Amino acid sequence: MRLVLLGPPGAGKGTQAQILVETYDIPQLSTGDMLRAAIKAETPLGLEAKAIVDRGDLVSDTIVSGIISERMDEPDCANGFILDGFPRTIAQAESLDDMLDAKGLKLDAVVEIKADPEILIERIINRARETGGARADDNEDVLRKRLVVYNEQTAPLVSFYAKQGLLRSVDGMKPIDEVTASIKAAIE
């Protein structure tokens, strides 16, 4: 099963990805984790990414796509994977389509976890209170900026994947187990 998880920051994509990893025995491919691993392993793409990151610049779509493509070739991805954090833009989605086509693969579904932005902000404020602000992104201003970026860059993927017949939307405002049940019902 090859899935993409979409949804605004704080909607529970990471939580749901971990549950799906255990349920379907497929890995979660997080772009941030993969970039750090490629840099640490000093792969050719990792070295290129390190030079860019060290300059304080953003890693290009080409490098991110290359790292994802390499990761998809690992044995643990043979039965599928969950993409979380990629694609973030239409250009990245088109790159993903090309990459999968070249491998003779296709996505099974794109799951949009819908969530009310104001409730997400309230959740983040509460989480920051409970944890003493342990996470750097547990900050209302940071979350509001991330929501703006999501709406501008990533939200257009909803219609992109709907046109391909891949989109499955679930209500991310329900309790975790109900969201999980909705995702399973949507993809099975």
Side-chain angles (χ1 to χ4, degrees):
M1 181 170 304
R2 288 173 291 281
L3 302 172
V4 170
L5 294 183
L6 290 179
K13 295 180 302 294
T15 298
Q16 292 301 324
Q18 286 307 307
I19 294 167
L20 297 171
V21 161
E22 293 173 23
T23 303
Y24 297 105
D25 194 29
I26 55 176
Q28 174 187 5
L29 306 186
S30 161
T31 52
D33 291 347
M34 287 185 286
L35 272 172
R36 286 185 288 278
I39 289 169
K40 185 176 180 182
E42 298 184 345
T43 67
L45 283 173
L47 292 172
E48 193 175 341
K50 182 179 183 336
I52 293 166
V53 170
D54 287 350
R55 286 195 311 264
D57 293 330
L58 292 175
V59 178
S60 72
D61 285 353
T62 303
I63 293 174
V64 172
S65 294
I67 288 172
I68 290 170
S69 180
E70 287 178 354
R71 180 64 180 88
M72 286 179 184
D73 293 335
E74 296 292 321
D76 66 335
C77 290
N79 293 324
F81 48 80
I82 301 164
L83 285 168
D84 172 18
F86 183 89
R88 287 188 190 271
T89 64
I90 297 291
Q92 287 181 355
E94 291 168 343
S95 174
L96 175 61
D97 285 350
D98 293 343
M99 182 189 323
L100 292 170
D101 282 345
K103 296 176 184 299
L105 302 173
K106 64 179 183 57
L107 290 174
D108 292 298
V110 175
V111 178
E112 174 196 21
I113 301 175
K114 294 176 134 188
D116 180 310
E118 290 307 312
I119 293 174
L120 292 178
I121 290 167
E122 194 61 38
R123 281 184 185 174
I124 294 298
I125 292 168
N126 288 336
R127 185 170 70 188
R129 277 191 210 118
E130 292 167 7
T131 63
R135 286 177 51 160
D137 59 351
D138 280 351
N139 175 303
E140 182 177 352
D141 293 336
V142 170
L143 180 61
R144 285 190 186 280
K145 286 176 189 166
R146 290 177 62 210
L147 286 168
V148 167
V149 170
Y150 174 82
N151 286 328
E152 289 173 356
Q153 296 182 7
T154 308
L157 292 175
V158 170
S159 60
F160 178 85
Y161 284 118
K163 288 176 189 167
Q164 293 184 18
L166 292 170
L167 187 71
R168 313 288 185 269
S169 294
V170 300
D171 181 354
M173 302 314 298
K174 293 182 178 179
I176 291 170
D177 58 335
E178 290 182 35
V179 175
T180 303
S182 295
I183 291 171
K184 288 179 182 177
I187 63 177
E188 291 180 348

